[in-house]
Amino acid sequence: TLSDDVVAGYNAPFPKSRYKAAARAFPTLVPTQPDDPASAANRAALEVFSRWEKPFMTLFSNRDPITRGGDTFWQQHVPGAKGVEHTVIEGAGHFLQEEKPAELVAALAPFFRDAQSDQI
């Protein structure tokens, strides 16, 4: 559960419920069928990432009902993912940055340190 302060922070940009309409529409942009409107843009993005040679880290949680298991897909399809240490954080869901912030930072910090040394 989020504290009242965190909830207030999320609500701050939305003074009235109607201002949340766009945020509520985001889940509909995740294509679930090949002919979904967002599918073409996602295929185009995958085409770009299939040629991505820079370091590419996957960092997923094991209980995310939306993206769980997506790490394997990206590791197989992005050339820059090879040779990079990937992480699955246990016991977290979709909002990994809120549920396991320390573990998230601990996994990301070495990647960024290494990436800086490679000047990506």
Side-chain angles (χ1 to χ4, degrees), residues 13-99:
F14 311 105
K16 296 189 180 195
S17 182
R18 69 175 182 231
Y19 293 103
K20 295 181 181 179
R24 288 185 178 119
F26 289 152
T28 65
L29 300 176
V30 177
T32 58
Q33 300 293 319
D35 60 345
D36 281 349
S39 291
N42 278 270
R43 282 191 291 275
L46 180 57
E47 175 61 31
V48 170
F49 280 111
S50 71
R51 297 185 310 271
W52 190 265
E53 298 288 339
K54 293 181 181 181
F56 185 97
M57 176 192 192
T58 61
L59 201 157
F60 282 67
S61 66
N62 69 324
R63 293 187 339 193
D64 186 340
I66 299 166
T67 65
R68 178 181 49 229
D71 53 336
T72 303
F73 174 87
W74 288 105
Q75 291 166 25
Q76 292 172 348
H77 289 86
V78 180
K82 288 170 183 47
V84 173
E85 185 173 339
H86 304 282
T87 302
V88 174
I89 295 180
E90 300 292 323
H94 190 65
F95 295 100
L96 187 53
Q97 70 280 8
E98 290 177 351
E99 297 174 40

